[in-house]
Amino acid sequence: MKVAIIGAGIGGLTLALALQREGIEAEVFEASETIRPLGVGINLLPHAVAELTALGLGDALGEIGIETAALAYYNRFGQRIWHEPRGRAAGYPVPQYSIHRGAFQMLLYETAVQRLGAGRIHTGQVLESVVRTGSGLMDAPGQPAVFTLRSRADGTLSEHSADVLVGADGIHSAVRRSFYPSGDLPRFSRRLLWRGVTEAAPYLDGRTMFMAGHQDQKFVCYPISEPLRREGRSLINWIAELRVPGTDDDTPPKSDWNKKVDKSVFADAFQDWRWDWIDIPSVIDGAEAIYEFPMVDKDPLPGWTRGRVTLLGDAAHPMYPIGSNGSAQAIMDTRALTVALTQFKDPSMALREYEADRLPRTAGIVLRNRMNGPEQVMQMAHERAPGGFTEIDQVVPHAELAAIALRYKQLAGFDPKSVVARPAA
């Protein structure tokens, strides 16, 4: 069996490694001419780390990423709403990592080149069309998927075929667009995110992720560099978030990894967020560059699959960056798809099994994230005690907070009972 993967992001490269581990031939086609370490920080939750560890990446992740010890939520006054251990500190068999997205992607890329061979990863190749899906409806039964690529270098077109074609090409997926050419637009939350990375002294224990504020004004921080932590410093990934004027029907600004802005666009809203354990204005001031992103998702699709063509990761289920779950769900997609392809001789049946497993799960996360997912505890505290509180238990009982945290873990597939360590490659 040969699987062609469109997109060399986290989902596409992880899938290539997972397929290679099972002896399935994989080939990756990436539109960008160069694979570079783009982005800022992300979190890798335990269920995703379990899969990556099984691919033999556990030690490398531990060398570059912070092993997250705890997650905490605060109100806008720096008063703690909820605190819980994370990763191995919470009893999981594997860690949770906070890591630079670019460093993680380069780890995946370099490992894929080593294991698959450089000739299996093609850059500067843009998907022009899916010529044939191999569906057995318009096409003859048993036929492979056929697709056309355009070279960025010289514009030449080339036709390729594979037993399975996977669109892992992000929220603006060309494969998804071939299935749904109209009406499938990003849905804007009317919230903008400003992201940066700042080197500073560690806050709290140097391994805690925190979120503060409420749904209209929020700040997120977590350290992402283990080498710097060992030196007694911290590379802090941070996200400032504000609701902007407009309506729910507004067209979102264009998503652009490289859109730099000045802190003056948003920083005044956080000017008094100085607490005895962190000075947020100083964190903002210390960033070398600040990037602006609209917070968008897309409505869940009725289907991801046409014959021997399917979707994975953000191409299948773009979701709000709530619950630290986007990259984790792409990695869980790779696990489900790889298992299906090893269990079913008919590739079309394998893709239908994969979709039946993953589409309803991820649709639930997309919709729950629109309700702020586990971060709703901050909104509850804000609505019930907008001026702050003395004891959080008098505002939101501990049992209610714990139930929200557990419910989201179960929905997303990383409650402690669901995460099982698997043998490494």
Side-chain angles (χ1 to χ4, degrees), residues 354-370:
Y354 155 70
E355 179 184 297
D357 178 17
R358 294 297 297 160
L359 190 153
R361 292 173 186 259
T362 54
I365 299 170
V366 170
L367 298 177
R368 187 64 60 84
N369 280 8
R370 289 179 180 177

Side-chain angles (χ1 to χ4, degrees), residues 11-304:
L13 291 172
T14 304
L15 177 62
L17 292 172
L19 293 172
Q20 186 270 341
R21 182 178 190 259
E22 298 298 328
I24 298 174
E25 181 182 354
E27 197 158 8
V28 182
F29 301 90
E30 165 60 37
S32 299
E33 292 187 277
T34 305
I35 296 178
R36 296 182 291 123
L38 297 175
V40 281
I42 60 170
N43 272 272
L44 296 174
L45 298 176
H47 54 339
V49 173
E51 301 305 322
L52 295 168
T53 301
L55 294 175
L57 299 174
D59 290 343
L61 291 173
E63 287 297 315
I64 58 177
I66 292 284
E67 185 171 335
T68 312
L71 167 68
Y73 296 112
Y74 295 82
N75 65 6
R76 67 177 310 277
F77 306 105
Q79 297 171 317
R80 195 167 79 184
I81 300 166
W82 173 253
H83 179 278
E84 64 179 40
R86 280 293 174 116
R88 288 194 287 210
Y92 287 92
V94 293
Q96 173 175 324
Y97 287 112
S98 297
I99 193 168
H100 194 290
R101 184 194 183 279
F104 175 47
Q105 182 171 1
M106 294 309 293
L107 170 63
L108 292 173
Y109 173 63
E110 290 162 5
T111 305
V113 168
Q114 178 186 9
R115 296 182 186 177
L116 278 70
R120 292 292 178 182
I121 303 176
H122 310 274
T123 58
Q125 298 294 315
V126 180
L127 182 74
E128 282 288 300
S129 64
V130 178
V131 179
R132 185 173 68 224
T133 63
S135 66
L137 299 175
M138 293 184 295
D139 313 316
Q143 292 295 307
V146 178
F147 55 100
T148 301
L149 298 170
R150 173 176 53 82
S151 169
R152 280 191 182 276
D154 57 18
T156 57
L157 298 177
S158 58
E159 190 170 273
H160 303 257
S161 66
D163 297 298
V164 171
L165 175 63
V166 180
D169 47 344
I171 188 171
H172 302 299
S173 167
V175 180
R176 178 172 174 141
R177 190 164 55 249
S178 74
F179 292 173
Y180 302 95
S182 62
D184 182 39
L185 299 175
R187 186 178 183 275
F188 186 30
S189 64
R190 288 181 39 230
R191 287 179 268 181
L192 289 179
L193 309 176
W194 294 273
R195 309 189 70 162
V197 175
T198 299
E199 182 178 336
Y203 65 85
L204 298 176
D205 63 352
R207 296 198 294 129
T208 290
M209 175 182 185
F210 81 86
M211 305 180 192
H214 50 86
Q215 67 181 13
D216 294 336
Q217 182 180 11
K218 183 172 69 179
F219 201 85
V220 179
C221 265
Y222 50 92
I224 57 173
S225 172
E226 174 60 15
L228 206 59
R229 186 193 72 83
R230 291 172 181 170
E231 297 175 8
R233 298 286 288 169
S234 187
L235 190 65
I236 300 171
N237 178 83
W238 57 264
I239 306 123
E241 177 183 322
L242 292 174
R243 183 173 293 274
V244 295
T247 70
D248 292 341
D249 296 326
D250 288 347
T251 301
K254 183 180 178 181
S255 299
D256 183 353
W257 285 102
N258 300 306
K259 184 180 179 181
K260 291 184 180 181
V261 299
D262 187 79
K263 68 176 183 178
S264 60
V265 175
F266 67 94
D268 285 351
F270 299 92
Q271 197 56 42
D272 61 347
W273 287 35
R274 292 182 171 92
W275 310 317
D276 58 3
W277 53 276
I278 196 168
D279 184 328
I280 287 177
S282 293
V283 171
I284 295 172
D285 290 344
E288 291 186 4
I290 297 171
Y291 301 90
E292 181 180 275
F293 305 86
M295 192 164 92
V296 299
D297 68 3
K298 286 189 175 183
D299 290 329
L301 293 174
W304 296 349

Side-chain angles (χ1 to χ4, degrees), residues 338-415:
T338 302
V339 168
L341 289 171
T342 59
Q343 290 181 343
F344 292 88
K345 293 183 178 180
D346 179 357
S348 299
M349 180 64 75
L351 299 193
R352 289 197 293 272
E353 174 69 18
Y354 155 70
E355 179 184 297
D357 178 17
R358 294 297 297 160
L359 190 153
R361 292 173 186 259
T362 54
I365 299 170
V366 170
L367 298 177
R368 187 64 60 84
N369 280 8
R370 289 179 180 177
M371 300 165 59
N372 293 315
E375 296 171 23
Q376 64 186 269
V377 299
M378 294 189 295
Q379 185 65 18
M380 294 165 64
H382 174 69
E383 291 175 355
R384 298 180 190 183
F389 52 80
T390 303
E391 297 289 340
I392 184 59
D393 223 29
Q394 298 174 358
V395 178
V396 188
H398 181 273
E400 190 173 1
L401 296 171
I404 291 169
L406 178 59
R407 186 162 58 242
Y408 190 80
K409 291 185 181 79
Q410 291 171 334
L411 172 72
F414 70 102
D415 56 295

